[in-house]
Amino acid sequence: MTNQAPIVIVGTGLSGYSLVREFRKLDKDTPIVMVTADDGVSYSKPMLSTGFTKDKDAQGLAQADTEAMAEQLGVEVRTYTTVTGIDTGKHELILGDERLGYSKLVLAWGADVIRLGLAGNGLDRVYSINDLLDYRAFRKALEGGKRVAIMGAGLIGCEFANDLRNGGYEVDVIAPDATVMPSLLPEPAAEAVRHELTELGVRFHLGTVVERVDEDGGGVRLTLGNGETLQADLVISAVGLRPRTELAKAAGLDTGRGIQVNRALETSAEDVYALGDCAEVDGQVLLYVLPLMACARALAKTLTGERTEVRYGTMPIMVKTPCCPTAVCPPPVGAEGNWQIEQEASDVKALFKSPDGETLGFAVTGRFAVEKQALAREVPPLHQ
Ligand code: FAD
């Protein structure tokens, strides 16, 4: 029954397409069906926060259309097709009224944006940007506008702030934390980025939150928790992502913060695998490109019959704030040690040292950012 069924991959983001690319290097023939809720266009998601800097709209950021991808990779791509369930017993994917049999199933369906429960009548001017279709809608809504308010001062909020300033927009950033990227950067590095973004003209409203968004003229008025009000043409919500686990959980797969898989990317159900933003790999949820590429390489081998465990190397994250070039390699969660800081104005070199002097993580900004490759070689890989 299942022997003739194709390998089915849900998702045509970087995880889905990277996996097929790796798989086709090893196996040109096994039928593969890709299923995606969106249009299947290939693009690099990290580039969404560089559109103005690189002078590219949504069309310009698209790398290849679906037909080209299908032909290049020798796969069938079913677009605008939403998975509604998985029947793991029958090895079938449920697509509304239809069922699609699989020999092996790979879940690469990403993460959902977190939506805040805001009050007000202007919520249709609040945009989350988590894929190319979102970006297209955002750019269209921004036409003729000048002012953007960004909720959230994490990596994505800061990158959009820099990019929109480069595009000539007025930018306000509102976030509850005392500084930017608090979960990623040690304070001196975070302050360097905040300082340089401020110099660029970004207005920060930290230590408070947006409570209401109301229509006001052609734009919106934001009311903050500290009583302040701001005007904007539209709002970007960049308050975080949550791996998509609901359908997996309903199908009986083990889930935690993400769909739980071991280092061979195997879920708790037979012949079902997961990678990318939806996956919790051996206890770790890493919503970045380097981990998913490592997973794609390992899983491609497993799908050809050579069971392979992923091995994470050192994975530095480049923050795309060109006004303050920044790279960070966070120390492992719970690692013992402390930050040693070398600083001159907005040039910061922060090294996380273990009690015996080993460098376990780093953050570099400004002129020190060029040292990222050399420092990455000093930091032990995530998987030893
Ligand atoms: P996605 O790209 O989200 O793909 C999910 C796919 O699943 C889509 O095709 C979707 O349509 C499909 N899908 C979802 N649900 C269903 C369903 N029920 N049925 C059918 N299909 C479904 N990472 C870095 O390492 N460096 C960076 O500089 C960086 N910058 C970023 C900037 C921005 C603005 C953003 C938003 C993210 C950034 N990231 C960065 C994170 C990185 O882009 C993601 O980790 C990565 O793209 C996730 O890819 P994915 O394929 O797992 O998920």
Side-chain angles (χ1 to χ4, degrees):
M1 169 206 59
T2 55
N3 286 349
Q4 280 76 40
I7 294 176
V8 176
I9 298 171
V10 186
T12 54
L14 284 172
S15 301
Y17 278 141
S18 302
L19 172 63
V20 179
R21 267 195 206 97
E22 294 297 329
F23 183 81
R24 283 294 185 233
K25 288 181 192 166
L26 308 170
D27 177 328
K28 302 257 181 277
D29 304 318
T30 300
I32 296 178
V33 176
M34 301 186 78
V35 176
T36 178
D38 62 30
D39 59 4
V41 167
S42 168
Y43 71 104
S44 173
K45 193 184 288 198
M47 295 300 107
L48 296 182
S49 47
T50 66
F52 289 103
T53 307
K54 296 196 184 313
D55 197 20
K56 286 188 173 172
D57 60 8
Q59 188 65 27
L61 291 173
Q63 290 172 333
D65 65 26
T66 317
E67 292 70 30
M69 291 305 289
E71 192 178 328
Q72 195 190 104
L73 298 171
V75 297
E76 180 191 341
V77 184
R78 297 183 57 170
T79 57
Y80 300 112
T81 304
T82 300
V83 174
T84 53
I86 310 166
D87 186 337
T88 55
K90 291 190 174 149
H91 275 56
E92 286 175 350
L93 202 55
I94 305 170
L95 312 167
D97 295 339
E98 194 196 333
R99 283 178 172 250
L100 175 65
Y102 61 80
S103 56
K104 313 250 182 220
L105 174 65
V106 180
L107 307 176
W109 60 31
D112 270 324
V113 293
I114 294 173
R115 289 180 204 281
L116 300 177
L118 298 170
N121 64 4
L123 302 184
D124 59 346
R125 307 291 290 174
V126 180
Y127 287 77
S128 296
I129 304 171
N130 189 33
D131 60 36
L132 193 60
L133 295 177
D134 291 342
Y135 191 67
R136 185 169 299 144
F138 164 73
R139 288 293 294 257
K140 192 164 185 324
L142 192 57
E143 276 168 21
K146 286 192 168 50
R147 303 158 303 175
V148 180
I150 300 175
M151 300 193 293
L155 176 133
I156 291 174
C158 288
E159 290 189 353
F160 275 118
N162 197 148
D163 194 48
L164 284 157
R165 280 302 297 149
N166 288 356
Y169 293 87
E170 287 180 39
V171 179
D172 287 280
V173 175
I174 308 100
D177 316 287
T179 188
V180 302
M181 295 183 266
S183 57
L184 206 54
L185 296 179
E187 203 193 330
E191 276 302 291
V193 177
R194 189 193 59 77
H195 176 78
E196 291 305 317
L197 283 170
T198 304
E199 289 288 296
L200 192 69
V202 176
R203 295 183 292 251
F204 282 97
H205 311 264
L206 298 176
T208 189
V209 291
V210 177
E211 290 188 340
R212 301 185 60 88
V213 180
D214 289 291
E215 286 173 8
D216 193 11
V220 287
R221 182 180 66 255
L222 289 81
T223 308
L224 311 190
N226 64 6
E228 209 181 330
T229 57
L230 304 172
Q231 303 295 130
D233 295 303
L234 48 82
V235 182
I236 295 178
S237 175
V239 298
L241 293 164
R242 190 178 288 132
R244 294 187 174 111
T245 55
E246 266 174 39
L247 290 174
K249 197 172 179 181
L253 272 59
D254 290 346
T255 59
R257 284 184 302 138
I259 301 168
Q260 290 176 328
V261 294
N262 56 20
R263 280 177 54 181
L265 292 320
E266 295 159 332
T267 69
S268 57
E270 198 185 349
D271 295 326
V272 183
Y273 306 81
L275 81 163
D277 278 9
C278 65
E280 179 181 324
V281 182
D282 195 22
Q284 298 195 73
V285 174
L286 298 171
L287 306 179
Y288 298 106
V289 175
L290 286 180
L292 74 81
M293 301 294 283
C295 288
R297 286 190 291 273
L299 184 52
K301 285 192 189 156
T302 296
L303 293 177
T304 60
E306 187 192 335
R307 188 179 181 282
T308 303
E309 297 200 337
V310 66
R311 201 174 157 276
Y312 287 157
T314 305
M315 296 191 286
I317 300 158
M318 315 301 164
V319 183
K320 300 184 292 302
T321 45
C323 73
C324 184
T326 299
V328 55
C329 189
V333 178
E336 235 188 283
N338 51 49
W339 286 103
Q340 292 181 3
I341 311 286
E342 183 183 339
Q343 177 165 20
E344 203 186 300
S346 293
D347 302 325
V348 177
K349 179 172 172 180
L351 303 180
F352 190 89
K353 294 281 188 184
S354 72
D356 56 8
E358 196 184 4
T359 305
L360 298 180
F362 66 84
V364 279
T365 68
R367 73 179 165 87
F368 289 117
V370 293
E371 295 186 27
K372 59 186 182 266
Q373 305 293 8
L375 287 169
R377 282 193 288 274
E378 279 181 35
V379 173
L382 270 175
H383 290 148
Q384 303 279 349

